[in-house]
Amino acid sequence: MAIGTGDPRAAANASPAPPGARVVLAGAALFAMGIVLFSGSLYALVLGDATGFGAVTPFGGVAFTAGWLARAWALWRR
């Protein structure tokens, strides 16, 4: 039986994630969060009258930078 058909043995036979996959996934999540927070807050400031979003912009920049650091760490650990 194939994975997804309800056979519990199929999941046990699946190959484990490669080393460093968790760091790569964390980096991708940080990239996405950084883009949404940084760009989204700037769009909200420019297109709307939402002045409170200006305080969110630095958090997006930090998340985006952390995503780059996670990517560099994953490549260095390779």
Side-chain angles (χ1 to χ4, degrees):
M1 292 187 127
I3 294 177
T5 59
D7 186 10
R9 293 172 293 172
N13 293 332
S15 62
R22 179 178 268 171
V23 175
V24 172
L25 290 175
L30 287 166
F31 272 130
M33 187 170 39
I35 290 169
V36 169
L37 289 175
F38 186 79
S39 300
S41 64
L42 291 179
Y43 274 115
L45 286 170
V46 170
L47 298 177
D49 194 22
T51 57
F53 282 107
V56 176
T57 307
F59 293 108
V62 168
F64 201 60
T65 303
W68 278 113
L69 291 174
R71 177 70 176 148
W73 177 261
L75 287 173
W76 184 70
R77 297 275 307 189
R78 218 174 201 205

